Amino acid sequence: MRRNMNEDEFLYDVSEESILKDWNMGTEAPDHEFSEKYKEFRQELIYRAEKGQSGSDCRETEENRMDTADIIPMKPKRKRFFKTPVGVAAAFAVVIALSVGAYAISGIFTVKDRKREDDNGGIEYTFEVQEGIAITPALIQLGYVPEGYVEYGNGGNGTTLHKLHKADGSGGLTVGISDYSCRVDFPFVSSYEETEIGGIKADILNREGDIDYSHIILMFYEDLGQLVTIYGHRDIPLDELEKVAENIQLEPTGEAPYVPEVKAEAEKGEEPPAVQAQIVREDQKIGWNEPIDVSDGMTFTVKNIELKDNMNGLDENYLADTKDGYAMYLNEDGTFKDVELGYTAWENNTMVKKSQGTGRVKMAYVTMDVANTTDTDLTDAFVYGTLGRIGTDDNSGYLIGSDVLEGWWVPASGEPFYYDGSDYTDSTNGNKHLFFSDLKAGETRTVHLAFAYVEQMEEEAFLMFENRGEDKEPLYVKLVP
């Protein structure tokens, strides 16, 4: 005759907490209250065991792929826990197979090592994992957002990656999720603290000095095989960031479980390759009026470059941002404001700002011909270039990038901020598809690009045009011939 069972007692008896306590401590387990979600998860395993569905092989194959009903925990409809003693034995077997095996290291994964790098304050995590254990893809629900922050439309996908800013675009909050197989490496960490947030193991990484994102919170969902990373801008107090972490919920995406490919131990902890200067040969330097093959059938030919101290005369419909977006960079007479030059360096476990004085900003107004040399119309042809400078070392040229302009995101990256040959303009909200044109077969169009740069770099400055064909190298046109 079947004996009635206490559901809470059974769940505890077959849980990893009980097993680990019995193995490690040899003491009687204390009273333990489970959440409803935890109960539902265990019950689903048990019910599947009664039906002979062990679910122990969750690899992503056509034969063994789980459907949505297998992934999402089901609410129990039966009044009694088991129908037969055979069901009890099967339940024990599946829970021990999925729970003991997975949790022998206190979860599907746990932090094995935190390796510190002295040169850039980096911290690299390696994990100890149970190989072959399937995990369920999960999405992030944010239960709390700091005041004034909104989801950024052009940022994350809103499920596994959330990117938030203030309404004016300032600040920043990024929350993402990855599985335990990913290599995790964070530079410029001044200190870290091991803690627990909302019952989840967590590390708080502190970054001191002149750095935008001053705190990073890592949450280790060991029992789910997931890692949640939260970046907080320096305008978000740490207690606010912790509140974000406390109110995060993970939910299954409805996709089939999979077994992550765990990196071999030999691949972990390797030093990244040293960054090599990009050598620029003399045969990569192209003069004015020489056609540049940038893709199959499309060429650019630089005809002229005017160097100006203002933006006067530019058609605002072809600006990469609205006209008002550039007002903060201009004097009352329309000339560019001087900007602070400098860079940041990692010193004494903090990010230090190094000043290089001020620089005069100018604009390079580039006139060039864009030609479709084929007998086929081109749609969405990308017309683009960047502006940097080339230094010399032992008579060899090398690319060293553009100078830093404090507060200028476009010139700092060497990107153009104007293109009047576009067929895709929407200047009311900032042009999102500005640098694209439709060219008829055989058409040549005279266009203009505009770049901002610092006058001090004028003699070393080059326009760089990428060739998007296979095994083709970029070509460079000197700003001042």
Side-chain angles (χ1 to χ4, degrees), residues 55-66 130-135 256-260:
S56 58
D57 188 357
C58 299
R59 286 179 172 79
E60 187 79 35
T61 65
E62 291 297 327
E63 295 80 20
N64 296 314
R65 184 175 287 118
M66 292 184 178
Q130 290 285 349
E131 295 189 35
I133 300 297
I135 66 174
Y258 67 99
V259 178

Side-chain angles (χ1 to χ4, degrees), residues 193-264:
E193 173 190 356
E194 298 178 50
T195 185
E196 190 173 287
I197 300 176
I200 304 298
K201 288 183 181 179
D203 276 10
I204 299 176
L205 311 186
N206 303 302
R207 311 167 91 187
E208 298 177 2
D210 187 34
I211 193 164
D212 285 338
Y213 288 83
S214 56
H215 296 290
I216 303 172
I217 295 180
L218 307 180
M219 301 185 71
F220 307 104
Y221 289 81
E222 296 177 332
D223 56 339
L224 301 177
Q226 303 285 6
L227 172 67
V228 170
T229 308
I230 307 170
Y231 285 82
H233 193 268
R234 56 188 171 191
D235 70 355
I236 303 177
L238 180 56
D239 59 350
E240 280 284 278
L241 204 62
E242 290 177 317
K243 195 171 179 180
V244 173
E246 288 173 0
N247 289 276
I248 283 176
Q249 291 186 346
L250 302 189
E251 297 182 2
T253 64
E255 301 171 277
Y258 67 99
V259 178
E261 182 180 352
V262 180
K263 296 179 177 67

Side-chain angles (χ1 to χ4, degrees), residues 328-377:
M328 62 184 295
Y329 307 123
L330 302 174
N331 296 308
E332 291 183 2
D333 62 357
T335 59
F336 294 111
K337 293 180 178 179
D338 289 349
V339 293
E340 182 182 352
L341 301 179
Y343 63 97
T344 56
W346 186 253
E347 293 181 358
N348 299 320
N349 210 31
T350 188
M351 189 65 75
V352 180
K353 185 175 181 179
K354 300 286 189 177
S355 176
Q356 293 180 311
T358 58
R360 182 186 179 199
V361 176
K362 296 177 67 175
M363 179 183 74
Y365 185 66
V366 180
T367 302
M368 67 183 193
D369 287 345
V370 177
N372 175 9
T373 63
T374 73
D375 55 6
T376 304
D377 293 348

Side-chain angles (χ1 to χ4, degrees), residues 108-408:
I108 294 178
F109 80 105
T110 190
V111 176
K112 180 181 179 181
D113 187 29
R114 299 170 178 84
K115 182 181 178 182
R116 295 283 287 168
E117 299 290 344
D118 293 333
D119 57 344
N120 69 346
I123 181 169
E124 179 183 319
Y125 286 80
T126 55
F127 302 124
E128 184 177 0
V129 302
Q130 290 285 349
E131 295 189 35
I133 300 297
I135 66 174
T136 298
L139 56 83
I140 303 169
Q141 296 287 359
L142 296 180
Y144 176 79
V145 172
E147 184 177 357
Y149 273 78
V150 294
E151 196 91 9
Y152 188 53
N154 294 326
N157 56 27
T159 56
T160 59
L161 179 64
H162 294 265
K163 294 184 77 68
L164 301 96
H165 293 271
K166 293 181 179 177
D168 62 1
S170 64
L173 173 65
T174 300
V175 184
I177 188 171
S178 59
D179 62 53
Y180 62 77
S181 68
C182 296
R183 178 176 176 172
V184 184
D185 189 359
F186 302 92
F188 313 128
V189 177
S190 302
S191 63
Y192 72 90
E193 173 190 356
E194 298 178 50
T195 185
E196 190 173 287
I197 300 176
I200 304 298
K201 288 183 181 179
D203 276 10
I204 299 176
L205 311 186
N206 303 302
R207 311 167 91 187
E208 298 177 2
D210 187 34
I211 193 164
D212 285 338
Y213 288 83
S214 56
H215 296 290
I216 303 172
I217 295 180
L218 307 180
M219 301 185 71
F220 307 104
Y221 289 81
E222 296 177 332
D223 56 339
L224 301 177
Q226 303 285 6
L227 172 67
V228 170
T229 308
I230 307 170
Y231 285 82
H233 193 268
R234 56 188 171 191
D235 70 355
I236 303 177
L238 180 56
D239 59 350
E240 280 284 278
L241 204 62
E242 290 177 317
K243 195 171 179 180
V244 173
E246 288 173 0
N247 289 276
I248 283 176
Q249 291 186 346
L250 302 189
E251 297 182 2
T253 64
E255 301 171 277
Y258 67 99
V259 178
E261 182 180 352
V262 180
K263 296 179 177 67
E265 187 69 26
E267 296 177 2
K268 295 180 179 179
E270 294 180 352
E271 294 294 329
V275 177
Q276 300 294 326
Q278 183 178 337
I279 302 300
V280 179
R281 303 186 311 274
E282 284 300 316
D283 61 359
Q284 291 179 266
K285 298 175 183 179
I286 303 297
W288 292 12
N289 297 308
E290 295 184 41
I292 301 170
D293 181 16
V294 293
S295 66
D296 292 338
M298 187 165 70
T299 63
F300 296 166
T301 304
V302 174
K303 309 296 288 186
N304 188 39
I305 302 177
E306 298 177 68
L307 307 180
K308 303 182 177 183
D309 64 358
N310 62 76
M311 293 171 54
N312 297 340
L314 297 187
D315 187 335
E316 64 182 272
N317 292 311
Y318 296 107
L319 291 170
D321 195 358
T322 61
K323 186 176 181 180
D324 291 341
Y326 296 97
M328 62 184 295
Y329 307 123
L330 302 174
N331 296 308
E332 291 183 2
D333 62 357
T335 59
F336 294 111
K337 293 180 178 179
D338 289 349
V339 293
E340 182 182 352
L341 301 179
Y343 63 97
T344 56
W346 186 253
E347 293 181 358
N348 299 320
N349 210 31
T350 188
M351 189 65 75
V352 180
K353 185 175 181 179
K354 300 286 189 177
S355 176
Q356 293 180 311
T358 58
R360 182 186 179 199
V361 176
K362 296 177 67 175
M363 179 183 74
Y365 185 66
V366 180
T367 302
M368 67 183 193
D369 287 345
V370 177
N372 175 9
T373 63
T374 73
D375 55 6
T376 304
D377 293 348
L378 293 177
T379 302
D380 260 11
F382 189 43
V383 182
Y384 205 73
T386 54
L387 180 64
R389 59 191 180 119
I390 296 177
T392 57
D393 182 17
D394 296 330
N395 298 319
S396 297
Y398 59 96
L399 192 66
I400 55 180
S402 60
D403 291 72
V404 174
L405 300 181
E406 186 72 18
W408 280 73

